[in-house]
Amino acid sequence: MDKKIGFIGLGIMGRPMAKNLVKAGYSLKVYDLNKSAVADLAEAGAEEGASVSEVAKDCSLIITMLPNSPHVKAVVLGEGGILESASEGTLVVDMSSIAPDASKEMEKALSNKKLRMIDAPVSGGEPKAIDGSLAIMVGGNEEDFNEAKPLFDIMGASALLVGPIGSGNTCKLTNQIIVALNIAALSEGLLLAKKAGADVEKVFNAIKGGLAGSTVMNAKAPMILEGNFKPGFKIDLHIKDLANALDTGAAAGAPLPLTAGVQQMLQVLKADGEGQSDHSAIAKYYEKVSGTAIRKD
Amino acid sequence: MDKKIGFIGLGIMGRPMAKNLVKAGYSLKVYDLNKSAVADLAEAGAEEGASVSEVAKDCSLIITMLPNSPHVKAVVLGEGGILESASEGTLVVDMSSIAPDASKEMEKALSNKKLRMIDAPVSGGEPKAIDGSLAIMVGGNEEDFNEAKPLFDIMGASALLVGPIGSGNTCKLTNQIIVALNIAALSEGLLLAKKAGADVEKVFNAIKGGLAGSTVMNAKAPMILEGNFKPGFKIDLHIKDLANALDTGAAAGAPLPLTAGVQQMLQVLKADGEGQSDHSAIAKYYEKVSGTAIRKD
Amino acid sequence: MDKKIGFIGLGIMGRPMAKNLVKAGYSLKVYDLNKSAVADLAEAGAEEGASVSEVAKDCSLIITMLPNSPHVKAVVLGEGGILESASEGTLVVDMSSIAPDASKEMEKALSNKKLRMIDAPVSGGEPKAIDGSLAIMVGGNEEDFNEAKPLFDIMGASALLVGPIGSGNTCKLTNQIIVALNIAALSEGLLLAKKAGADVEKVFNAIKGGLAGSTVMNAKAPMILEGNFKPGFKIDLHIKDLANALDTGAAAGAPLPLTAGVQQMLQVLKADGEGQSDHSAIAKYYEKVSGTAIRKD
Amino acid sequence: MDKKIGFIGLGIMGRPMAKNLVKAGYSLKVYDLNKSAVADLAEAGAEEGASVSEVAKDCSLIITMLPNSPHVKAVVLGEGGILESASEGTLVVDMSSIAPDASKEMEKALSNKKLRMIDAPVSGGEPKAIDGSLAIMVGGNEEDFNEAKPLFDIMGASALLVGPIGSGNTCKLTNQIIVALNIAALSEGLLLAKKAGADVEKVFNAIKGGLAGSTVMNAKAPMILEGNFKPGFKIDLHIKDLANALDTGAAAGAPLPLTAGVQQMLQVLKADGEGQSDHSAIAKYYEKVSGTAIRKD
């Protein structure tokens, strides 16, 4: 693969992902509104792009890694955006976590101009972005997926095609629904244990090996029992993801009653100033309502 | 340990548990309303008890394994029950899954007559009762726990003391809350994936190794994707456990909003004739409301 | 009607109801565990009963007015109770607010001995018990209803037959579900108004005449805006009623998701020491979670 | 008042409202994308506007009556919109039902250019728009409110100032939350009555005069009992309003757990093809989940 790779969006996640591609020998042309992020990449060996349009004109594969649907739509569909500037056949690989319907809408507009798009959001957070071990969930055509696969193999530990365009983000949202609810389940269960007089740490140890066990339990129960809510994955970001999930569910006819309930809890936490806390702070919602700290004795 | 062990309650769980004790060389005196169960144990080498009272008079350690709080209270506190008949110092080991407050109430009544009690509900179901690999969660004094420990080691793969009397059942309820909610979370997430057009089986494979992964996901997602709801653990029993959890939460001041919501789903399933289905049939609630089967393509 | 009327249960509600019957010229034989309540009625002109059994033997129509299902079942089905002591043909008029299934169970047992029963719970509280203007909801046969109707006309402003045995209580529970949810709806709406910066009192005035208007809004919004939660109808009693509603829904196959949610709120309030506050204190749940008082400016 | 009134948005509501102003003798200049609506108003005596810009240039008070926030923002803030074209001092009276935060955002932008704005959404629907008896809830300054008051008096039966800019819409959302929840409460209560065997129509009659009584109950219970869900106010519109309420609550820190739950029900109904049914069809959600029609016998 000797063509130039475009990379738009050099934030907390995008920057180390782009660097890993450069390190692996790829020629990158990069762009971000934040000039120091661009300079940082240039130092690492990437070419600086002056605008989205310039990147789009120069590269036949463009990776985008941006905060949410409106940002990606601005870059792809907006004035001076990829749709306007890129050549026929260009493949857009959007690795942002956005609403699946936004992915579908953009892919439709791009395909009308013979451009291609796949959505490929990641999970794993900054540490896994740095060491190139992200989990990548991809929606799109198999051919396009295969074309981007070598890049995914550098940025991630796994990349799976899970359905047509939008499915990468749908998969991510499914993941986020389950994670949020599993944390809430853990919190609700531990609160009962605490209030009814059991030793919560021993309860955790007694159940973690059985059917109630989960990656969430192993990762988050110790944080809850210590009262340590350092992120990790922030409440604010989980609110964004569940908002996308609720919108997607509404459009697709999928009722999400428990997600809707947990979103209300997350929003209470945000209002309480916990937006930058780890999502394990869902336990703090239960602590607030019950007036009881779920801490080990 | 050469004293005689009483065993009251020889149902689906109690019968194999009692047999394992007999096989291990313990002298058992057993009782159940079902005469054929008693006869079966006699054939295996146990002594037949004619009544609760007779068992209570003869044994200084009595295991009870009964359906729910009222049955245990009848056997312990009722006419001709253990409280009336047992000698000072007798240790009651209630292995039924009941309300923690019922355990506390019985222990209090027993201790007034210098009898002792620990609660020690199990998880794992019939297969693990048969092969002696149950997980046993225990509430009570450490000394009493240690006295019963050799028996637990025969019936179970693990036995943990998790707090004072009632805590074994509290721990079991915590477990059951988390399991029910994790199944609902899985169902809600997979429904979104299905409705939004992703390949649900590939989604399952993409997320099971990450933070959304859980024992519930590994065990139940394949059942849901196949539409196979053969128990396993039955909806009817999970309703019983969540009812005990909700009562316990109400008494202890622990709000359980998501548990209350899932209990309503379980009750809809029961009304639909799914009481004997596996609890993974929570997915059928989502299928009913959305009019869409969550099956692999 | 010159036969003697039995009246069992002389609490806050029963005492004024019984007195109204005495004042109207009826011969009453009364019983309560509380001797001073019995003495009070005797002074008013009623005959003192020494026991349930004595009242049951002496009277062919017996009114019961007791706290909840277990109390009524003890008086009707228990040792020395009405079933044991009353003569064939006796009509039991249970005016307690209990679970409909308990009414059905008692009526079945009574009818096996050729005794009759109707359930006739009331709404309106102590003030309307005193001035004889209760609303009475009745379940049972039309003939039995008509026989008790003259008594209802003295104790209440209205009495309606709403279905077979148990339906009086079902009707009461329907009423209590709607009242609790309408209070929660009002609280949730007013909280939004407050948090978004509107003048809550003016909002109340703007909407009370439209489709959002209700007896609950007229009665409870002023209390919420003043922060006055003097009962009225107590949180503790509303918890009792919703517990009966949830049990009835579970048995009948009626999902009650919002009721289940509000019951969790009420239980938080009880744990916070608000059990004796008016049920309009549901607003305090919202205030607690949001950290904002919903008071007029 | 002899200055010219601008009126933008001549849909189901806007058209009769504008006509009432014309009939009352006001000079109107009107605009809508739908030319036949403009022609219809012209026939009634209004002046045709060629564009938003033309109306804005010509009128010092401009009423807008549009579907939702994005439409109003396009007309007010967009290219060729009111902000660009109107003269200093112009008063924008937005009578659309939109998000309060959108009102606040527009008012801020307008005030920077010395234009004024109040938000004044209505309730009552098409019939009350036609006969000039709408309820109008207004947010803004008292002076601006007083300036628009003569117009409100023609279009509505009541107009109340309920707080600063955005408060009209906040009030409308409070109203819509309470209405939706009161309908759900009614449905949940009646389902219990039906399933437990009472006569639902008699139950309705027994409770409507008490604390459970409401305008919703009087208006919607007969529709539910007949199975008549002809609008009235449509599910689709109620979804729009609750979405605005949930967004407003999230931004303002007001948890709306029951609203979030009912929104999921409404979305199920929409997916089932009931978007154009009256919002009393919330009862159909309960009927679907329980498999039981809540009809009078």
Side-chain angles (χ1 to χ4, degrees), chain D residues 217-294:
Chain D
M217 186 183 281
N218 291 335
K220 306 300 185 186
M223 295 178 72
I224 293 169
L225 296 178
E226 297 281 358
N228 159 26
F229 300 110
K230 237 175 64 183
F233 191 79
K234 289 175 187 169
I235 295 279
D236 280 345
L237 287 172
H238 221 135
I239 289 175
K240 180 203 104 174
D241 286 343
L242 294 194
N244 280 336
L246 289 165
D247 286 348
T248 305
L256 306 172
L258 300 178
T259 304
V262 169
Q263 180 76 321
Q264 295 295 315
M265 296 182 192
L266 288 168
Q267 287 170 180
V268 167
L269 291 166
K270 182 187 171 76
D272 288 348
E274 301 281 352
Q276 297 294 305
S277 298
D278 187 66
H279 50 179
S280 56
I282 289 173
K284 292 189 98 167
Y285 175 84
Y286 284 91
E287 295 183 335
K288 179 186 188 180
V289 176
S290 68
T292 303
I294 310 168

Side-chain angles (χ1 to χ4, degrees), chain D residues 5-265:
Chain D
I5 307 295
F7 205 114
I8 296 169
L10 302 168
I12 290 172
M13 296 295 287
R15 205 190 294 203
M17 288 162 69
K19 282 188 183 171
N20 282 333
L21 292 175
V22 172
K23 261 187 258 169
Y26 283 92
S27 299
L28 254 66
K29 183 155 193 170
V30 304
Y31 179 72
D32 195 289
L33 291 172
N34 174 354
K35 307 243 156 152
S36 78
V38 175
D40 182 35
L41 255 291
E43 207 166 298
E47 183 182 344
E48 296 190 30
S51 64
V52 167
S53 171
E54 198 194 282
V55 170
K57 278 174 184 148
D58 240 36
C59 304
S60 60
L61 189 157
I62 305 165
I63 294 170
T64 49
M65 189 63 183
L66 296 156
N68 204 351
S69 313
H71 313 84
V72 184
K73 284 168 79 169
V75 159
V76 172
L77 307 178
E79 245 182 298
I82 292 171
L83 181 67
E84 262 182 38
S85 311
S87 321
E88 218 173 84
T90 295
L91 176 61
V92 178
V93 178
D94 179 37
M95 302 188 75
S96 321
S97 287
I98 69 170
D101 287 343
S103 305
K104 292 175 189 172
E105 179 191 345
M106 287 185 278
E107 192 274 340
K108 201 174 167 189
L110 289 167
S111 76
N112 287 339
K113 279 194 56 184
K114 307 215 166 141
L115 299 156
R116 298 170 296 145
M117 178 170 170
I118 60 178
D119 64 310
V122 307
S123 77
E126 191 184 6
K128 296 197 171 181
I130 291 170
D131 66 17
S133 65
L134 294 163
I136 305 174
M137 298 152 274
V138 189
N141 293 328
E142 190 151 10
E143 200 183 343
D144 299 339
F145 170 73
N146 287 333
E147 190 172 327
K149 187 70 165 49
L151 304 172
F152 294 152
D153 289 344
I154 289 156
M155 295 182 284
S158 69
L160 281 169
L161 183 64
V162 295
I165 183 71
S167 296
N169 277 300
T170 294
C171 184
K172 176 77 188 278
L173 295 179
T174 297
N175 187 79
Q176 295 301 77
I177 283 173
I178 295 171
V179 168
L181 289 175
N182 282 9
I183 296 173
L186 175 66
S187 303
E188 193 160 312
L190 290 180
L191 178 68
L192 181 71
K194 186 76 182 185
K195 286 292 238 177
D199 180 316
V200 280
E201 192 173 22
K202 288 178 179 165
V203 166
F204 162 52
N205 284 317
I207 66 179
K208 71 183 176 193
L211 190 51
S214 64
T215 309
V216 156
M217 186 183 281
N218 291 335
K220 306 300 185 186
M223 295 178 72
I224 293 169
L225 296 178
E226 297 281 358
N228 159 26
F229 300 110
K230 237 175 64 183
F233 191 79
K234 289 175 187 169
I235 295 279
D236 280 345
L237 287 172
H238 221 135
I239 289 175
K240 180 203 104 174
D241 286 343
L242 294 194
N244 280 336
L246 289 165
D247 286 348
T248 305
L256 306 172
L258 300 178
T259 304
V262 169
Q263 180 76 321
Q264 295 295 315
M265 296 182 192

Side-chain angles (χ1 to χ4, degrees), chain B residues 98-117:
Chain B
I98 68 170
D101 287 344
S103 304
K104 292 175 190 173
E105 180 191 346
M106 287 185 279
E107 192 275 340
K108 201 174 165 189
L110 289 168
S111 76
N112 287 339
K113 278 194 57 184
K114 307 214 167 141
L115 299 156
R116 297 171 296 145
M117 177 170 170

Side-chain angles (χ1 to χ4, degrees), chain A residues 270-287:
Chain A
K270 182 188 172 75
D272 287 349
E274 301 280 354
Q276 299 293 306
S277 299
D278 187 67
H279 49 179
S280 55
I282 289 174
K284 292 188 99 168
Y285 175 84
Y286 284 92
E287 296 183 335

Side-chain angles (χ1 to χ4, degrees), chain A residues 5-258:
Chain A
I5 308 295
F7 204 114
I8 297 168
L10 302 168
I12 289 173
M13 296 295 288
R15 206 189 293 202
M17 290 162 69
K19 282 189 183 170
N20 281 334
L21 292 176
V22 171
K23 261 187 259 171
Y26 282 93
S27 300
L28 253 65
K29 183 154 194 172
V30 304
Y31 179 71
D32 195 288
L33 291 173
N34 174 355
K35 305 243 155 151
S36 78
V38 174
D40 183 35
L41 255 291
E43 207 166 299
E47 184 181 342
E48 295 191 31
S51 65
V52 168
S53 171
E54 198 195 282
V55 172
K57 278 174 185 149
D58 239 36
C59 305
S60 60
L61 188 156
I62 305 165
I63 294 170
T64 48
M65 189 64 183
L66 296 156
N68 203 351
S69 313
H71 313 84
V72 184
K73 285 168 79 169
V75 160
V76 173
L77 306 178
E79 247 182 296
I82 293 172
L83 181 67
E84 262 182 39
S85 311
S87 321
E88 216 174 86
T90 295
L91 176 61
V92 178
V93 179
D94 179 36
M95 302 188 74
S96 321
S97 288
I98 67 169
D101 287 344
S103 304
K104 292 175 190 172
E105 180 191 344
M106 287 184 280
E107 192 275 340
K108 201 173 165 189
L110 290 167
S111 75
N112 286 338
K113 277 195 58 185
K114 306 216 166 138
L115 299 156
R116 298 170 297 145
M117 177 171 172
I118 60 180
D119 63 311
V122 308
S123 78
E126 192 184 4
K128 297 199 171 180
I130 291 170
D131 66 18
S133 65
L134 294 163
I136 306 174
M137 298 152 274
V138 189
N141 293 329
E142 190 152 9
E143 200 182 344
D144 299 339
F145 170 73
N146 288 334
E147 191 172 326
K149 187 71 166 45
L151 303 172
F152 294 151
D153 288 344
I154 289 156
M155 295 182 283
S158 69
L160 281 168
L161 183 65
V162 296
I165 184 71
S167 297
N169 277 300
T170 294
C171 184
K172 177 78 187 278
L173 296 179
T174 296
N175 188 79
Q176 295 302 76
I177 284 173
I178 294 170
V179 169
L181 290 174
N182 283 10
I183 296 173
L186 175 65
S187 304
E188 192 160 312
L190 290 179
L191 178 68
L192 181 71
K194 186 75 182 184
K195 287 291 237 179
D199 179 317
V200 280
E201 192 173 24
K202 289 178 179 165
V203 166
F204 162 52
N205 285 316
I207 65 178
K208 70 183 175 192
L211 189 52
S214 65
T215 309
V216 156
M217 186 183 282
N218 291 334
K220 305 300 183 186
M223 296 178 72
I224 294 170
L225 296 178
E226 298 281 358
N228 159 25
F229 301 110
K230 237 176 62 184
F233 190 79
K234 291 174 187 169
I235 295 278
D236 280 346
L237 286 172
H238 222 136
I239 289 175
K240 180 203 103 174
D241 286 343
L242 294 193
N244 280 335
L246 289 165
D247 286 349
T248 304
L256 306 172
L258 300 177

Side-chain angles (χ1 to χ4, degrees), chain B residues 17 21 26 63 91 93-95 118-122 132-134 136-139 144-160:
Chain B
M17 289 162 70
L21 293 176
Y26 283 93
I63 295 170
L91 176 60
V93 178
D94 179 37
M95 302 188 74
I118 60 179
D119 63 311
V122 307
S133 65
L134 294 164
I136 306 174
M137 298 152 276
V138 189
D144 298 339
F145 170 73
N146 287 334
E147 189 172 327
K149 187 69 165 48
L151 303 172
F152 293 152
D153 289 343
I154 289 157
M155 294 182 284
S158 70
L160 282 168

